[in-house]
Amino acid sequence: MPGLMQGVGTALLMSVLAVVAILLQLAPVGLAPAALPSPQLLWVVVLFFALHRPEAVPLPLVFALGILGDLLGDGPVGARTMALLLAVWIARRYLVGLVRESPILELGVFAALCGAGHLLVWLLLRLSFAGPPRLLHLLLLVLFSTLAYLPMMLLSQLRQRARMRR
Amino acid sequence: MGLERRQAHKGTGFGLVTLVVLCLICLAFFVLWRADSPRLVRLRMAISDRFAPTIETGTAPVIEGTALVRDYRSVSELRIENERLRAEVQRMLAWREVAEQLEEENARLRALNNVQLAPRISVITGEVIADSGSAFSQSALLNIGADKGVEDGSAAMDDQGVVGRVVGVGRHTARVVLLSDPTSRVPVNIGTVAQRAILAGDNGIKPRIEFLTSTEGIKVGDRVVTSGDGGVFPPNLLVGRIADVGRRYARVELAANFHRLQFIRILKLRPQKADAGEAGLILSKPDSKPEAKPVTPLTKPAAGRSQ
């Protein structure tokens, strides 16, 4: 029961952080066509929890957050959510143990999942003749998202070290 | 051990089924989006309406921080500009009164002469509260909607040129797709040759011109304006200037200032009002005498501070 309560609490925390991430993503700081793409903060939050607390990241919750992000923003509804669902499932099933080995590996895992997910969306748009963005933009998006992942990863490392000292 | 393994297997199977079902739902949403389903648009705008105050509050710190970094000025410069803007607002208010009197008299006189004018354009100004939030589209969310008279399909401009078009209207919000978005298509006229073509967004900074019969006569620097074809945009709105000319294509440098896109004006076509009033006929009938109409003297605005 305490484990379940902790899981629910973590899921709530993730949901709140995800909603804040969606709002920050919507900030109109890059409207110019030449503006650099914003980091995908929703992916940062959800994948962080999927890699560190997989039990607190149920797929229906990821679906709800993803669809909320797609509907509040603009662009392909459902496509990014589907990519996020697949990334979370793969992270929970195969990669949780891997990221505990080293922070650099964790960063690489995030970059790979984020890149693969957005490439899937790009392919969907291409196949449906919807005019996807340039691959360079996608690369920059993955890079900035990975940079945004760093602070969360470092905070987690600090917290773990503080726990070990106790 | 065997029971645990079976339970783990069942859990994995259930997770896989959940994943497949949710992915299918996502694909259904994607198909609806691609098909421009009006229900999906309405749902999107309803959610934008609901979250608009939260978005404004949530993005305010980011916007303020960015503005501070971008527009750093000393306090005294801001004070001077503030005073200048106050004086300008006072002058504009006075001129507005004069303009309204002139418009009323103009309408009365035209009605008397039975003159039909082309529809006029009114403007509704809104502030950008959110962008698209992804690299897959280029759009902006405004804090004005149907309650302020915004209509779907209206043209959107800043003070320099066309910005895009309204693609979704909620009660209190409206979404504008920008000219650079891949779904944006605007009928345009090019320069002195007045060749008609389509400006197509491609997520780039210089959208291309499609359906050109020939690039002969088109040169770099030529003005590109809306043609008004299809009734989507009013004609002769500045879009930009030709930046590059190829054999069968051209690219346009947009006139609008996307780097500082804070306020967007939505253009609304309205017919010219014709107020017959009580005035007499200018072309009077033989058996009636024209009435002398008292003309309201126009009052000049007080001389303000010069710029």
Side-chain angles (χ1 to χ4, degrees):
Chain A
M1 199 66 177
L4 179 66
M5 294 300 291
Q6 196 178 11
V8 167
T10 311
L12 268 171
L13 174 65
M14 187 201 74
S15 306
V16 167
L17 288 177
V19 170
V20 171
I22 290 169
L23 293 177
L24 288 176
Q25 238 173 254
L26 292 174
V29 294
L31 279 169
L36 296 171
S38 310
Q40 294 299 289
L41 299 177
L42 178 63
W43 281 65
V44 167
V45 169
V46 172
L47 282 177
F48 175 81
F49 279 90
L51 290 169
H52 289 266
R53 293 276 187 277
E55 70 281 358
V57 188
L59 290 179
L61 180 59
V62 174
F63 171 79
L65 291 169
I67 286 291
L68 179 65
D70 283 353
L71 288 173
L72 276 178
D74 198 18
V77 179
R80 286 185 295 167
T81 305
M82 187 176 75
L84 184 60
L85 280 168
L86 289 168
V88 165
W89 190 79
I90 292 170
R92 278 172 43 172
R93 191 154 157 73
Y94 300 109
L95 302 173
V96 172
L98 202 64
V99 301
R100 284 175 191 152
E101 291 186 18
S102 103
I104 295 177
L105 198 57
E106 183 180 348
L107 214 55
V109 161
F110 173 80
L113 286 172
C114 188
H118 284 87
L119 193 60
L120 175 66
V121 178
W122 188 90
L123 275 170
L124 261 176
L125 291 175
R126 192 85 183 165
L127 290 171
S128 60
F129 305 101
R134 296 174 185 184
L135 283 171
L136 178 64
H137 277 178
L138 271 191
L139 194 63
L140 288 172
L141 185 145
V142 172
L143 176 66
F144 293 141
S145 302
T146 309
L147 288 173
Y149 189 85
L150 259 176
M152 286 198 77
M153 195 182 72
L154 290 172
L155 274 171
S156 168
Q157 296 279 323
L158 286 169
R159 192 163 160 262
Q160 271 178 9
R161 281 180 193 175
R163 269 188 179 174
M164 279 163 64
R165 275 189 206 139
R166 278 188 227 154
Chain B
M1 193 72 156
L3 178 67
E4 282 174 6
R5 202 177 288 171
R6 276 200 296 276
Q7 280 177 345
H9 189 70
K10 202 187 265 182
T12 309
F14 181 70
L16 193 58
V17 167
T18 310
L19 174 71
V20 168
V21 167
L22 291 175
C23 284
L24 287 173
I25 297 173
C26 289
L27 275 174
F29 268 111
F30 179 75
V31 167
L32 284 175
W33 170 79
R34 191 70 190 95
D36 283 334
S37 164
R39 284 187 186 179
L40 189 63
V41 173
R42 276 201 297 273
L43 172 66
R44 203 168 212 171
M45 295 319 300
I47 289 178
S48 297
D49 274 347
R50 176 70 184 80
F51 278 85
T54 316
I55 293 172
E56 282 183 282
T57 310
T59 58
V62 180
I63 295 169
E64 291 301 320
T66 313
L68 266 175
V69 169
R70 196 192 297 152
D71 299 328
Y72 176 73
R73 286 178 187 176
S74 68
V75 172
S76 61
E77 282 181 15
L78 284 172
R79 190 177 57 80
I80 291 168
E81 185 169 351
N82 198 8
E83 283 178 15
R84 185 184 67 77
L85 286 170
R86 280 181 200 276
E88 200 169 320
V89 164
Q90 290 303 317
R91 275 201 307 278
M92 292 298 152
L93 283 172
W95 274 111
R96 189 174 78 172
E97 267 186 57
V98 174
E100 280 173 355
Q101 286 179 10
L102 281 169
E103 186 185 25
E104 209 174 306
E105 189 183 342
N106 207 354
R108 236 188 338 256
L109 291 171
R110 286 184 191 279
L112 289 173
N113 282 290
N114 204 24
V115 172
Q116 297 297 324
L117 290 182
R120 292 191 55 198
I121 298 171
S122 64
V123 169
I124 313 161
T125 303
E127 192 176 358
V128 175
I129 59 172
D131 67 9
S132 60
S134 80
F136 294 97
S137 63
Q138 312 265 343
S139 67
L141 188 70
L142 307 184
N143 63 350
I144 50 171
D147 59 342
K148 295 284 193 295
V150 178
E151 289 172 355
D152 204 3
S154 304
M157 294 187 70
D158 70 352
D159 53 351
Q160 295 183 23
V162 176
V163 160
R165 183 172 58 93
V166 175
V167 293
V169 182
R171 189 142 182 81
H172 306 293
T173 54
R175 187 166 286 281
V176 172
V177 71
L178 306 181
L179 291 179
S180 50
D181 188 271
T183 60
S184 170
R185 298 287 185 274
V186 178
V188 295
N189 263 342
I190 303 170
T192 50
V193 298
Q195 189 174 156
R196 294 187 172 194
I198 299 283
L199 181 76
D202 59 358
N203 264 327
I205 56 174
K206 292 179 185 174
R208 68 182 184 280
I209 292 193
E210 291 179 342
F211 302 109
L212 272 174
T213 48
S214 120
T215 54
E216 207 176 305
I218 297 175
K219 56 186 188 303
V220 172
D222 278 350
R223 271 170 62 98
V224 179
V225 297
T226 53
S227 64
D229 288 346
V232 176
F233 284 78
N236 298 318
L237 299 177
L238 180 63
V239 172
R241 292 190 180 270
I242 297 289
D244 184 25
V245 184
R247 232 186 206 180
R248 303 280 298 180
Y249 76 92
R251 289 200 173 265
V252 175
E253 177 124 25
L254 298 171
N257 186 357
F258 288 92
H259 295 281
R260 282 174 177 256
L261 204 59
Q262 190 180 357
F263 295 100
I264 290 181
R265 299 186 295 178
I266 305 297
L267 306 186
K268 192 176 167 182
L269 284 173
R270 60 182 172 86
Q272 177 78 2
K273 65 180 179 187
D275 177 16
E278 297 170 355
L281 295 171
I282 291 177
L283 296 174
S284 56
K285 290 179 185 173
D287 55 349
S288 67
K289 288 183 186 175
E291 284 179 40
K293 177 193 166 302
V295 176
T296 313
L298 298 170
T299 52
K300 259 190 180 178
R305 202 184 302 175
S306 59
Q307 289 186 3

